[in-house]
Amino acid sequence: MAATITNFHPFSLFSETDLCFPFNPTKLNFTRTSFITSPLSYPAIINHAHNQNNPPFSSSSKPKIKKTGVLDSPMKTQKLNLEVSPHRAVAAVRLMRIEFGGAFADLLNERGKGSGNNEMEYVERTLGFRTRDLEERDLRLVTDIVGGAIRWRKYLDYLILSLCHDEGSFRSMEPLLLQILRIGFYEILKREMPPYAVVDENVNLAKFALRPGAGNMVNGILRKLVSLKDKDSLPVPKLDGNDRAQARALATTHSHPVVPHEPSLHLDDFVRIRRGMQSVIQNGFLKEGLCSVQDESAGLAVSVLDPQPDDCIIDCCAAPGGKTLFMASRLNGRGMISAVDINKGRLRILEETAKLQSVDSVINCIHADLRSFADSNKLKFDKVLLDAPCSGLGVLSKRPDLRWNRKLEDMEELKSLQDELLDAACKLVKPGGVLVYSTCSIDPEENEDREFQIDPVHRYVPSDFSTEQGFFRSCPVKHSMDGAFAARLIQSQ
Ligand SMILES: C[S@@+](CC[C@H](N)C(=O)[O-])C[C@H]1O[C@@H](n2cnc3c(N)ncnc32)[C@H](O)[C@@H]1O
């Protein structure tokens, strides 16, 4: 089975190649929101269950288990080990599959539900034995341990390395032994479990899955960890040296991957990454709302509106929320954005992502057709964004399907819908307020060929994006980003 990020995060709707993400400064102690944009490719998810003849990790070299039994089903003749806790065995094997098999932690967790038998097959093939079957509680523990060990991997590895005899023994450590240590370290440091139970259980796992000597090693290192923790003298990465060294130390303490990135040339809050998106995903940054994916052209269209704290804004075609959420991050918790969209499902994505990114307090989602909403609504807004449904001709590099799906008749219909939405949006602007009409199209008929009385955009975006007539326009070839258009209109007083 293969899957793409589309199944993973709504922001992939905007972009399969260029990714941006806003870091949540409250969670990451960054001073302000940042975005990342990057070309990337997602590795296919490998489902070894479909490849039974090719086990992911050979168990041929594994010692046979010490304590075996036969499972109750007459079909099952596998070796059963009752001394190893099932959730640790499954967690260790999942971690191996994620690190070496390219599997996604999330999908494994989902599939884990109700598929204990599959899990045990992996355990048996990797460790050489089965444990008792997983119960609901075990599965919850697996999810927590696997997620935690991945999330904190950089920090856990730093500590494991510090407690090894030398760097060589860390670097040459058997992968399974390293996973077992990561589990033990995570349980002791982050789950705060009773340390001696953790030591005993992980020693058992190493002993049975590898060999007695591996059990001794786990015992020695985990006990060293417990003793340092008790004395409050765990090694801490030194925060000195140049900026880069300090950033590395912080990345270790907070277990952030060091993702190669470059600041956006056009937006303070964006960074562009070319590689390393896997780390961002695996560390849960997207899922936890610490960042999101967005093309710089979308960010620049928001800059044309120039949202400021205390603004009362309406985003007329808001879902699934890329621009709304970026605007919300600029309000610093003050002001309000009414986010209108006719599509309930897409609006729900916006609502959920706003909660994840902790900006829901400044966003009010309204499920409505803008045309009827504008007729019935009495409230007027300081700033109105109409990011209109469009042909998408500016995003063909990411949406190749559009090349074949667009018909001339559709374009006529689309333009009249855009006209109606623009009329509706105009009704919502306060006297002296601003309306930004934007599209991700480069077709003049959808954009500058309309009759606009405009406020030129050069004060809001770099001059390279401002056309002679005062519109914002980004061009895929010239700017290496999506093609987009925005016009800034001022309502007369
Ligand atoms: C280009 S997308 C908006 C993207 C969004 N601004 C963002 O940044 O994520 C256009 C949106 O217009 C919505 N839409 C289309 N017709 C509408 C209508 N009559 N009233 C309100 N929303 C409408 C669609 O559901 C779609 O979500």
Side-chain angles (χ1 to χ4, degrees), residues 344-367:
K344 210 172 187 172
R346 282 159 70 92
L347 202 60
R348 198 172 315 121
I349 295 174
L350 194 169
E351 216 159 10
E352 282 163 11
T353 320
K355 276 193 201 123
L356 274 180
Q357 296 188 5
S358 309
V359 287
D360 50 323
S361 61
V362 291
I363 297 177
N364 175 29
C365 288
I366 301 165
H367 175 224

Short mmCIF file of all heavy atoms in Angstrom, two decimals, residues 344-367:
data_model
loop_
_atom_site.label_atom_id
_atom_site.label_comp_id
_atom_site.label_asym_id
_atom_site.label_seq_id
_atom_site.Cartn_x
_atom_site.Cartn_y
_atom_site.Cartn_z
N LYS A 344 -19.21 22.62 3.85
CA LYS A 344 -19.19 22.28 5.27
C LYS A 344 -17.95 21.46 5.65
O LYS A 344 -17.32 21.71 6.68
CB LYS A 344 -20.45 21.47 5.59
CG LYS A 344 -20.96 21.63 6.98
CD LYS A 344 -22.29 20.94 7.11
CE LYS A 344 -22.91 21.25 8.45
NZ LYS A 344 -24.26 20.76 8.54
N GLY A 345 -17.62 20.49 4.80
CA GLY A 345 -16.50 19.59 5.11
C GLY A 345 -15.19 20.36 5.17
O GLY A 345 -14.39 20.19 6.10
N ARG A 346 -14.98 21.23 4.18
CA ARG A 346 -13.74 22.02 4.17
C ARG A 346 -13.70 22.99 5.34
O ARG A 346 -12.65 23.24 5.93
CB ARG A 346 -13.61 22.78 2.84
CG ARG A 346 -13.15 21.89 1.69
CD ARG A 346 -13.50 22.48 0.35
NE ARG A 346 -12.74 23.66 -0.02
CZ ARG A 346 -11.61 23.65 -0.72
NH1 ARG A 346 -11.08 22.50 -1.10
NH2 ARG A 346 -11.00 24.76 -1.04
N LEU A 347 -14.88 23.50 5.70
CA LEU A 347 -14.94 24.43 6.83
C LEU A 347 -14.58 23.71 8.15
O LEU A 347 -13.96 24.28 9.03
CB LEU A 347 -16.35 25.03 6.91
CG LEU A 347 -16.49 26.35 7.64
CD1 LEU A 347 -15.66 27.45 7.01
CD2 LEU A 347 -17.95 26.79 7.68
N ARG A 348 -15.00 22.44 8.22
CA ARG A 348 -14.67 21.66 9.43
C ARG A 348 -13.15 21.51 9.55
O ARG A 348 -12.58 21.59 10.64
CB ARG A 348 -15.35 20.29 9.37
CG ARG A 348 -15.42 19.66 10.74
CD ARG A 348 -16.25 18.39 10.80
NE ARG A 348 -17.51 18.48 10.11
CZ ARG A 348 -17.87 17.68 9.10
NH1 ARG A 348 -17.05 16.75 8.67
NH2 ARG A 348 -19.04 17.82 8.52
N ILE A 349 -12.48 21.33 8.43
CA ILE A 349 -11.01 21.22 8.46
C ILE A 349 -10.42 22.50 9.03
O ILE A 349 -9.53 22.50 9.88
CB ILE A 349 -10.43 20.97 7.04
CG1 ILE A 349 -10.90 19.61 6.53
CG2 ILE A 349 -8.92 21.05 7.03
CD1 ILE A 349 -10.50 19.33 5.07
N LEU A 350 -10.97 23.63 8.56
CA LEU A 350 -10.49 24.93 9.05
C LEU A 350 -10.67 25.02 10.58
O LEU A 350 -9.75 25.38 11.31
CB LEU A 350 -11.29 26.05 8.36
CG LEU A 350 -10.77 27.48 8.45
CD1 LEU A 350 -11.53 28.37 7.49
CD2 LEU A 350 -10.75 28.08 9.81
N GLU A 351 -11.87 24.62 11.02
CA GLU A 351 -12.19 24.73 12.44
C GLU A 351 -11.22 23.89 13.28
O GLU A 351 -10.68 24.34 14.28
CB GLU A 351 -13.61 24.20 12.64
CG GLU A 351 -14.38 24.95 13.69
CD GLU A 351 -15.89 24.75 13.47
OE1 GLU A 351 -16.31 23.90 12.63
OE2 GLU A 351 -16.64 25.42 14.13
N GLU A 352 -10.98 22.66 12.80
CA GLU A 352 -10.10 21.75 13.55
C GLU A 352 -8.66 22.26 13.55
O GLU A 352 -7.97 22.22 14.57
CB GLU A 352 -10.15 20.34 12.95
CG GLU A 352 -11.42 19.61 13.40
CD GLU A 352 -11.73 18.39 12.54
OE1 GLU A 352 -10.87 17.97 11.75
OE2 GLU A 352 -12.87 17.87 12.69
N THR A 353 -8.21 22.76 12.39
CA THR A 353 -6.82 23.24 12.35
C THR A 353 -6.65 24.49 13.20
O THR A 353 -5.60 24.68 13.82
CB THR A 353 -6.39 23.53 10.89
OG1 THR A 353 -6.91 22.52 10.05
CG2 THR A 353 -4.90 23.56 10.75
N ALA A 354 -7.69 25.32 13.25
CA ALA A 354 -7.60 26.53 14.08
C ALA A 354 -7.41 26.13 15.54
O ALA A 354 -6.62 26.75 16.27
CB ALA A 354 -8.87 27.36 13.92
N LYS A 355 -8.10 25.08 15.97
CA LYS A 355 -7.93 24.61 17.36
C LYS A 355 -6.51 24.11 17.56
O LYS A 355 -5.86 24.46 18.55
CB LYS A 355 -8.90 23.47 17.65
CG LYS A 355 -10.26 23.97 18.05
CD LYS A 355 -11.13 22.86 18.63
CE LYS A 355 -12.58 23.29 18.52
NZ LYS A 355 -13.41 22.36 17.78
N LEU A 356 -6.04 23.30 16.60
CA LEU A 356 -4.68 22.75 16.71
C LEU A 356 -3.65 23.86 16.82
O LEU A 356 -2.68 23.77 17.57
CB LEU A 356 -4.34 21.94 15.46
CG LEU A 356 -4.75 20.49 15.40
CD1 LEU A 356 -4.31 19.89 14.07
CD2 LEU A 356 -4.10 19.72 16.54
N GLN A 357 -3.86 24.92 16.04
CA GLN A 357 -2.87 25.99 16.01
C GLN A 357 -3.13 27.05 17.08
O GLN A 357 -2.48 28.08 17.12
CB GLN A 357 -2.83 26.63 14.61
CG GLN A 357 -2.37 25.64 13.56
CD GLN A 357 -2.12 26.27 12.19
OE1 GLN A 357 -2.19 27.48 12.02
NE2 GLN A 357 -1.81 25.43 11.22
N SER A 358 -4.12 26.77 17.94
CA SER A 358 -4.48 27.67 19.05
C SER A 358 -4.83 29.08 18.58
O SER A 358 -4.45 30.06 19.22
CB SER A 358 -3.34 27.76 20.08
OG SER A 358 -2.94 26.50 20.46
N VAL A 359 -5.51 29.18 17.45
CA VAL A 359 -5.97 30.50 17.01
C VAL A 359 -7.50 30.52 16.91
O VAL A 359 -8.08 31.44 16.34
CB VAL A 359 -5.34 30.94 15.66
CG1 VAL A 359 -3.88 31.31 15.83
CG2 VAL A 359 -5.50 29.86 14.59
N ASP A 360 -8.16 29.49 17.48
CA ASP A 360 -9.61 29.39 17.34
C ASP A 360 -10.33 30.53 18.05
O ASP A 360 -11.47 30.86 17.70
CB ASP A 360 -10.14 28.02 17.81
CG ASP A 360 -9.61 27.63 19.17
OD1 ASP A 360 -8.43 27.92 19.45
OD2 ASP A 360 -10.36 27.04 19.95
N SER A 361 -9.66 31.16 19.03
CA SER A 361 -10.35 32.24 19.76
C SER A 361 -10.58 33.47 18.87
O SER A 361 -11.40 34.33 19.19
CB SER A 361 -9.55 32.64 21.00
OG SER A 361 -8.29 33.10 20.58
N VAL A 362 -9.84 33.58 17.76
CA VAL A 362 -10.04 34.75 16.89
C VAL A 362 -10.71 34.39 15.57
O VAL A 362 -10.74 35.19 14.64
CB VAL A 362 -8.71 35.52 16.62
CG1 VAL A 362 -8.20 36.20 17.87
CG2 VAL A 362 -7.66 34.61 16.01
N ILE A 363 -11.22 33.15 15.48
CA ILE A 363 -11.87 32.74 14.22
C ILE A 363 -13.29 32.27 14.50
O ILE A 363 -13.53 31.45 15.37
CB ILE A 363 -11.08 31.61 13.53
CG1 ILE A 363 -9.68 32.10 13.15
CG2 ILE A 363 -11.81 31.12 12.28
CD1 ILE A 363 -8.79 31.04 12.54
N ASN A 364 -14.24 32.84 13.74
CA ASN A 364 -15.63 32.41 13.87
C ASN A 364 -16.04 31.80 12.53
O ASN A 364 -16.13 32.50 11.52
CB ASN A 364 -16.48 33.65 14.21
CG ASN A 364 -17.95 33.33 14.23
OD1 ASN A 364 -18.33 32.20 14.51
ND2 ASN A 364 -18.78 34.33 13.92
N CYS A 365 -16.26 30.48 12.51
CA CYS A 365 -16.59 29.81 11.23
C CYS A 365 -18.08 29.94 10.93
O CYS A 365 -18.92 29.70 11.80
CB CYS A 365 -16.21 28.34 11.30
SG CYS A 365 -14.44 28.11 11.27
N ILE A 366 -18.39 30.32 9.71
CA ILE A 366 -19.80 30.49 9.32
C ILE A 366 -20.05 29.68 8.06
O ILE A 366 -19.43 29.94 7.01
CB ILE A 366 -20.11 31.98 9.04
CG1 ILE A 366 -19.82 32.79 10.30
CG2 ILE A 366 -21.55 32.16 8.57
CD1 ILE A 366 -19.74 34.29 10.07
N HIS A 367 -20.96 28.71 8.17
CA HIS A 367 -21.27 27.90 7.00
C HIS A 367 -22.39 28.59 6.22
O HIS A 367 -23.54 28.64 6.69
CB HIS A 367 -21.70 26.48 7.45
CG HIS A 367 -22.16 25.64 6.31
ND1 HIS A 367 -23.28 24.85 6.35
CD2 HIS A 367 -21.63 25.49 5.07
CE1 HIS A 367 -23.42 24.25 5.20
NE2 HIS A 367 -22.44 24.61 4.41
#
